[in-house]
Amino acid sequence: MSTASDFRIPVRRGSIDWSKPVFMALVAFLAVLVLLPLSWLVYFAVTDQAGKVTFANFVAMATDPTLRRPFILAIGMSLSVGALSCIIATPLAWFVARTDMPGRSFVRIFVTASFVTPPFLGAIAWEILAAPNSGILNVVYRSLFDLEPYDHIVDIYTLPGLVFAISCYTFPYVFTLVSNALDRVPSDLEEASAIQGASLYTTLRRVTIPLVLPAMLAGSLIAILQALTMFGSPAILALPAGFHVITTKIWSLFQYPAKPNLAAAISMPLLMFTILLLWTQRSILGRRGYTTLGAKSGVPRLTELGHWRWAAWAFTALVLLLTVVLPYLALIQTALTRTVAEPLSLASFTLDHVRFVFFEFSATSLAMRNTFLLGLMTATVGTGLALVTAYIVSRNVVKGGWMLGYLATIPVAIPGIVLGVGLFLAYSNSILPLYGTIWILLIAFLTIEMPAAYQQLSSAFRSVHVELEEASRILGATRMETLRTITAPILRSNVIATWCFVFIGTIRELSAMILLTTADTKLVSVIIYDLNESGDLGAISVLGLMLLAISFVIITIANRLPLFGGPKLTSLRG
Amino acid sequence: MSFLELSGLSKRFGPLTVVDDVSLSVERGHVVCLLGPSGCGKTTTLRLIAGFTTPDAGEIRIDGKVISSKGSSVPPELRQMSMIFQSYALWPHMTVRENVAYGLQLRKLPKEKIVSLVDDILTTTQLAPLAERYPGELSGGQQQRVSLARALVVEPQTLLLDEPLSNLDSNLREEMRFEIRRLHDAYRYTTIYVTHDQSEAMTTADVIVIMNKGHIEQVGSPEDIYERPASEFVARFMGGANILAGQVLDERTVDCGGLKLKCANAGHAAGSSVSVSIRQHTIAVTTQRPTDEMNWAAGTVVRSVYLGAHRDYLIELASGERIRAVTSTSNPVENGQAVWAHLPPEFCRILTR
Ligand SMILES: Nc1ncnc2c1ncn2[C@@H]1O[C@H](COP(=O)(O)OP(=O)(O)OP(=O)(O)O)[C@@H](O)[C@H]1O
Ligand SMILES: [Mg+2]
């Protein structure tokens, strides 16, 4: 800067401040996104077919046993899933986080695999493994003991079978929360207890378990919530078994003759349950959220299990075998053999299913195109919306910005199928005729993915010092320029990670989509469900493995990124 | 009309009034230091001036034009200001050169012009060899200079600095303090400098503003503030003074627990409770009983420290109060010895408590 020259730096002239209009637009958009389907849901619940206000729907719900029973079964099923997930995951988490059990580092990889598996795909895998007649396990059992054609040891088409098949894919929620909590239990507390002569058992009971109890409870509540709101697994396993849970009942009310008013009405209690569960879970974990409390303090002391380490290892191996290894092998085998029961060998090997799925079955190429197009659009638009929302909320850009945070978080409490009903009602009328187009699917995906994306990015914002943005403002950048040139690049890896998780969440979503897709707007997940109805397990396995492979690739990429906070897998839902 | 004027400025966070009816005029080209203890509202005042927050009452004017008031405020990017943040706020994803060029790029200057301006400022701040490094690869002092270069390259009218030196070690702090003053004298922008270090304020400022709990205690030149503090708070905050509580006897005489002090200033009603401040280095200590009583305090040396150039005595007075005196090193006095301290009237100041 030479004083000799008479050159003056030009003064920055005013440009429009976009923050207010953007804020307004965002509020309007999110409000429509979230509140419109909910309003239609409420409206339909309290009216009859003719549009007259009535409480008949609720009366029917209370008196009709075919409507009451699914509630009771669903609650029983979800509580069992919660309990089973907790029983599986807690010891596993402890072995991995705090003991010298062999092979600990592999466990997390397998748990991630279970996490990434869409529950409906797991349910189908278990159908392949444990259907009473054709299930591989039963076939093997019969041939080993030379039994009659109808003898079987396991039957997945039962309530316990369903509970088991769901728990295989919900236990990771408990595992993640508990192992994070265990990582933070200070070793010195345990050591102090051990030094005073307490046995391992006493230390566990008096020190460790009380410290991780909130995490266990919170994790189980998520598992319960997932089970309660899940559509795919019950539809695949409970319907053949001859019973309904709430979600499948709601779906069946949309089959001919459709009773949308009743469906809307029975969605209400389900919505209440999820809100209650989430509220309880939040109050257990406290406002800060368990996963973000403090940092890991040093290397935790590992408990030496002695001979018991092999027992622990066996337990772990069994869990991983049942939840990941067997289902995956079943899918691979089914994808590559002519009939399910044949063992995979050179003679039985075939690429027929692969050819069928990719070249012959016309529906798949359309579904794949739709799925990936929607995945890309949802991930891009959703991440963008979540970024701007998180920015406005965390930086107090406008008065009342916190409202946006609430709007963006509300969908977390809306079960997928309920959202599906709401969106169907909102967009299949003549005012907004979006039903039958991919736009209604985009709206559904954006709504579903918004809470997790928002949560992830707003915690990322908290890690960026406000002064970095202010430094840009004072040098002459507007809010939007700052967001584009400073904030977004600094948060780049968080943004990419969020994009990846939204993408994965989108390609595996079924619950809400089942009511919203039509012949022209099929998705891979829905095709898988349709193929299951027609019993085409080979094609399902090919499609399912493809979804899994894509998810793994993307997760791996996302995990490689140097993140500030670390990606949170809890943002996935089925 | 002054260049920058704050009038009746207030800012509340919930029930807490963080900036309380602050009025201040800053002349063009001056360096003004906001000085005060932690939490007194300095940063908040600076952020109000920068336009990052809007006031709840009062207004800010530049050249007579209102830029902040309760209802509306000019956004920071249009204020022709630059700011140096306590955290430096260098963008980690840009090199030194990119950080510095950012403000110029926003102003849509031609590429060659940007390069030459950036090169000039990097040379001035001795950063040229580091131009391609990322902030994470620089020392604290180098980061500080980048932040300075980035702020100055856009030729701001006003430069705001928030405790810019607090993260540096004392050698570097000395050097940077000089650097800031030198750059200011070269470019003559108006500077608002926030600090809680009084020696930093004394050496850099044309005008010092002492803040306490959100309001202004005193505005004046470094000499004013140091020699003629307007309140007990200012005297205590600037340090180096003894504060004695007492009652006004007549215009210029104060009774401090039996010790009668004639003072340099008047203006307090007889009988009112006041404080008297007297700088430590103006006190003389002797072992000879004085003939007069006025402004002479009898006491005992309880501690004496040899500081090379000075001797620092802690003296316990008959009333039990302790005062410090910094004197020449001649005629040392032992601990426990009875002494008389002379508090010269011309250095005793009556202060509101
Ligand atoms: N965004 C805010 N919300 C609520 N209170 C705030 C906010 N910013 C500052 N405060 C409070 O206002 C008071 C003054 O803060 P400020 O940062 O202006 O102090 P300061 O004089 O700069 O102190 P320091 O020397 O420690 O930096 C403090 O009590 C602080 O807790
Ligand atoms: Mg401050």
Side-chain angles (χ1 to χ4, degrees):
Chain A
M1 230 166 28
S2 79
T3 36
S5 97
D6 53 5
F7 171 81
R8 303 298 306 168
I9 305 275
V11 172
R12 188 97 217 243
R13 290 286 157 227
S15 57
I16 308 161
D17 180 10
W18 286 101
S19 58
K20 283 255 160 53
V22 165
F23 172 72
M24 291 303 173
L26 212 54
V27 167
F29 182 76
L30 287 182
V32 169
L33 206 63
V34 177
L35 301 180
L36 192 66
L38 287 180
S39 323
W40 278 94
L41 206 62
V42 173
Y43 169 72
F44 264 72
V46 297
T47 51
D48 60 16
Q49 301 272 23
K52 277 222 218 36
V53 175
T54 172
F55 284 102
N57 300 319
F58 292 101
V59 175
M61 192 161 60
T63 52
D64 184 348
T66 65
L67 294 178
R68 226 171 31 203
R69 226 174 95 76
F71 274 106
I72 296 164
L73 283 172
I75 290 170
M77 174 196 77
S78 318
L79 292 177
S80 315
V81 167
L84 186 57
S85 303
C86 192
I87 291 169
I88 299 173
T90 310
L92 208 59
W94 185 66
F95 294 151
V96 170
R98 280 305 172 96
T99 73
D100 61 347
M101 182 186 73
R104 289 191 311 276
S105 47
F106 292 104
V107 177
R108 285 185 202 264
I109 299 174
F110 279 102
V111 173
T112 307
S114 154
F115 226 147
V116 173
T117 314
F120 62 84
L121 197 60
I124 292 174
W126 270 102
E127 205 176 29
I128 296 169
L129 283 167
N133 294 328
S134 56
I136 297 174
L137 295 179
N138 287 322
V139 171
V140 171
Y141 169 71
R142 277 197 294 269
S143 67
L144 278 183
F145 296 97
D146 219 6
L147 296 169
E148 297 298 308
Y150 293 103
D151 283 324
H152 56 84
I153 41 164
V154 280
D155 181 358
I156 202 72
Y157 297 129
T158 54
L159 187 56
L162 176 61
V163 168
F164 168 77
I166 295 179
S167 303
C168 285
Y169 307 98
T170 51
F171 87 88
Y173 294 102
V174 189
F175 178 88
T176 310
L177 282 175
V178 174
S179 65
N180 282 353
L182 279 170
D183 280 344
R184 278 188 313 267
V185 171
S187 302
D188 38 2
L189 282 184
E190 290 183 334
E191 267 154 27
S193 164
I195 285 165
Q196 286 166 10
S199 68
L200 172 58
Y201 170 70
T202 314
T203 306
L204 269 181
R205 190 168 52 87
R206 302 287 297 275
V207 180
T208 316
I209 292 188
L211 283 170
V212 299
L213 202 59
M216 283 163 66
L217 261 178
S220 306
L221 285 176
I222 303 182
I224 292 172
L225 185 76
Q226 293 286 325
L228 192 64
T229 57
M230 197 175 279
F231 168 77
S233 303
I236 288 160
L237 299 177
L239 297 186
F243 66 92
H244 271 294
V245 293
I246 316 178
T247 49
T248 57
K249 190 71 200 171
I250 292 175
W251 167 78
S252 75
L253 289 172
F254 276 88
Q255 308 305 105
Y256 186 80
K259 296 185 186 125
N261 302 84
L262 202 50
I266 71 171
S267 297
M268 292 292 147
L270 183 53
L271 194 57
M272 299 300 154
F273 281 135
T274 51
I275 292 170
L276 191 70
L277 279 172
L278 278 174
W279 180 80
T280 317
Q281 196 237 353
R282 298 256 151 115
S283 48
I284 288 174
L285 290 188
R287 280 192 58 208
R288 281 173 293 179
Y290 223 73
T291 44
T292 57
L293 268 180
K296 236 177 174 174
S297 56
V299 184
R301 183 189 60 119
L302 297 182
T303 303
E304 283 168 26
L305 290 177
H307 290 307
W308 287 102
R309 59 207 292 251
W310 298 108
W313 187 85
F315 172 83
T316 308
L318 181 70
V319 168
L320 300 180
L321 191 70
L322 290 179
T323 57
V324 181
V325 179
L326 280 183
Y328 275 46
L329 287 178
L331 288 175
I332 293 171
Q333 135 127 7
T334 312
L336 299 177
T337 56
R338 247 170 278 276
T339 53
V340 173
E342 262 180 305
L344 182 57
S345 68
L346 267 185
S348 63
F349 178 81
T350 175
L351 287 176
D352 283 355
H353 300 303
V354 180
R355 196 170 57 234
F356 173 73
V357 165
F358 289 103
F359 303 106
E360 288 166 15
F361 187 41
S362 62
T364 30
S365 61
L366 179 65
M368 279 194 280
R369 215 177 37 242
N370 285 337
T371 299
F372 294 114
L373 189 64
L374 280 165
L376 292 178
M377 285 201 291
T378 311
T380 309
V381 177
T383 306
L385 283 176
L387 185 69
V388 177
T389 307
Y391 174 74
I392 289 178
V393 175
S394 63
R395 296 296 186 249
N396 271 323
V397 172
V398 277
K399 281 220 168 63
W402 52 269
M403 269 184 343
L404 273 180
Y406 279 100
L407 276 177
T409 318
I410 288 174
V412 83
I414 310 176
I417 189 97
V418 174
L419 184 69
V421 175
L423 290 172
F424 178 84
L425 300 176
Y427 297 110
S428 62
N429 51 42
S430 52
I431 312 165
L432 284 164
L434 294 180
Y435 180 70
T437 66
I438 63 165
W439 302 114
I440 191 171
L441 303 184
L442 180 63
I443 290 173
F445 282 132
L446 285 177
T447 317
I448 290 168
E449 299 299 331
M450 187 52 67
Y454 166 72
Q455 221 69 52
Q456 213 161 357
L457 288 173
S458 71
S459 72
F461 266 108
R462 258 171 267 141
S463 67
V464 177
H465 204 307
V466 196
E467 289 186 351
L468 289 175
E469 288 162 18
E470 291 175 345
S472 156
R473 294 294 304 284
I474 198 80
L475 282 174
T478 61
R479 274 221 164 82
M480 286 299 143
E481 283 165 339
T482 303
L483 188 58
R484 189 166 49 79
T485 55
I486 304 294
T487 320
I490 290 175
L491 291 178
R492 193 182 54 218
S493 47
N494 302 69
V495 171
I496 296 174
T498 304
W499 192 98
C500 290
F501 289 116
V502 172
F503 184 85
I504 295 173
T506 304
I507 62 173
R508 69 212 292 278
E509 168 63 36
L510 175 66
S511 304
M513 298 306 141
I514 196 73
L515 292 177
L516 300 176
T517 53
T518 57
D520 290 338
T521 58
K522 282 280 186 252
L523 300 170
V524 171
S525 58
V526 179
I527 289 271
I528 291 180
Y529 181 74
D530 290 349
L531 287 169
N532 182 61
E533 303 241 287
S534 61
D536 203 338
L537 295 173
I540 291 178
S541 303
V542 172
L543 282 171
L545 289 171
M546 179 192 71
L547 277 192
L548 285 175
I550 294 169
S551 304
F552 278 123
V553 169
I554 291 180
I555 288 246
T556 313
I557 294 172
N559 274 331
R560 286 281 153 82
L561 298 170
L563 288 179
F564 287 112
K568 289 191 199 72
L569 284 164
T570 32
S571 57
L572 290 177
R573 59 188 254 181
Chain B
M1 185 177 60
S2 302
F3 171 66
L4 171 67
E5 289 176 319
L6 317 184
S7 64
L9 205 60
S10 294
K11 178 72 188 174
R12 281 185 293 277
F13 290 116
L16 197 70
T17 303
V18 173
V19 175
D20 189 4
D21 194 21
V22 163
S23 298
L24 178 68
S25 296
V26 179
E27 298 305 321
R28 188 186 293 274
H30 271 190
V31 177
V32 173
C33 264
L34 300 185
L35 180 61
S38 184
C40 71
K42 307 180 295 288
T43 299
T44 309
T45 307
L46 208 63
R47 291 171 50 82
L48 282 166
I49 297 173
F52 296 136
T53 46
T54 47
D56 293 312
E59 52 184 43
I60 301 173
R61 289 182 297 272
I62 280 200
D63 277 334
K65 280 198 288 291
V66 176
I67 56 165
S68 279
S69 64
K70 186 171 191 303
S72 69
S73 98
V74 176
E77 60 265 29
L78 302 181
R79 295 190 172 206
Q80 289 182 263
M81 295 179 178
S82 278
M83 182 155 173
I84 293 179
F85 296 86
Q86 197 163 355
S87 66
Y88 306 150
L90 299 182
W91 301 305
H93 61 299
M94 297 184 186
T95 60
V96 168
R97 174 177 293 283
E98 287 163 347
N99 264 280
V100 176
Y102 183 81
L104 297 174
Q105 280 158 355
L106 285 170
R107 285 162 179 75
K108 307 261 176 343
L109 294 187
K111 276 220 166 54
E112 320 77 69
K113 190 75 208 169
I114 293 181
V115 170
S116 75
L117 286 171
V118 170
D119 282 341
D120 283 353
I121 193 84
L122 288 181
T123 311
T124 312
T125 49
Q126 299 164 4
L127 285 166
L130 307 174
E132 304 313 322
R133 292 224 198 148
Y134 284 91
E137 302 163 344
L138 301 178
S139 74
Q142 291 164 339
Q143 293 186 18
Q144 167 66 53
R145 292 209 297 273
V146 177
S147 134
L148 204 60
R150 185 178 71 180
L152 295 182
V153 76
V154 295
E155 295 183 5
Q157 278 190 335
T158 316
L159 181 66
L160 310 173
L161 303 105
D162 191 359
E163 311 210 17
L165 308 182
S166 61
N167 291 338
L168 304 181
D169 66 41
S170 58
N171 278 341
L172 208 52
R173 198 179 300 183
E174 256 342 272
E175 198 180 304
M176 289 309 298
R177 199 188 287 174
F178 170 75
E179 187 81 0
I180 287 173
R181 186 72 220 196
R182 187 177 67 81
L183 286 167
H184 172 266
D185 293 344
Y187 299 115
R188 308 302 308 175
Y189 35 78
T190 309
T191 303
I192 316 280
Y193 189 116
V194 161
T195 177
H196 60 238
D197 179 328
Q198 57 290 58
S199 64
E200 206 171 298
M202 300 285 288
T203 50
T204 0
D206 298 313
V207 175
I208 293 182
V209 178
I210 306 275
M211 289 186 70
N212 179 27
K213 294 181 186 151
H215 65 264
I216 293 181
E217 287 271 343
Q218 188 175 2
V219 179
S221 67
E223 195 180 319
D224 276 342
I225 301 275
Y226 195 72
E227 300 295 340
R228 291 174 286 283
S231 67
E232 183 185 338
F233 174 84
V234 176
R236 279 192 194 282
F237 187 78
M238 295 308 291
N242 296 292
I243 314 278
L244 299 166
Q247 241 104 43
V248 180
L249 291 180
D250 60 59
E251 269 225 313
R252 287 174 188 272
T253 319
V254 179
D255 179 357
C256 302
L259 166 66
K260 294 195 178 47
L261 294 174
K262 195 144 218 83
C263 297
N265 61 331
H268 289 85
S272 58
S273 294
V274 293
S275 298
V276 174
S277 91
I278 171 101
R279 309 227 69 90
Q280 291 156 5
H281 66 256
T282 59
I283 298 178
V285 176
T286 168
T287 47
Q288 246 85 80
R289 174 182 289 276
T291 50
D292 195 0
E293 283 227 326
M294 192 63 108
N295 287 59
W296 279 96
T300 323
V301 171
V302 290
R303 192 195 68 201
S304 113
V305 181
Y306 176 68
L307 292 171
H310 308 285
R311 234 173 244 289
D312 183 345
Y313 293 111
L314 187 62
I315 300 166
E316 185 163 309
L317 303 185
S319 61
E321 241 175 312
R322 291 175 169 199
I323 60 170
R324 276 174 69 187
V326 178
T327 67
S328 71
T329 48
S330 55
N331 305 326
V333 183
E334 299 289 308
N335 278 359
Q337 213 170 322
V339 290
W340 285 266
H342 183 53
L343 286 52
E346 61 273 30
F347 296 121
C348 288
R349 292 190 56 82
I350 308 178
L351 304 174
T352 318
R353 288 172 77 180

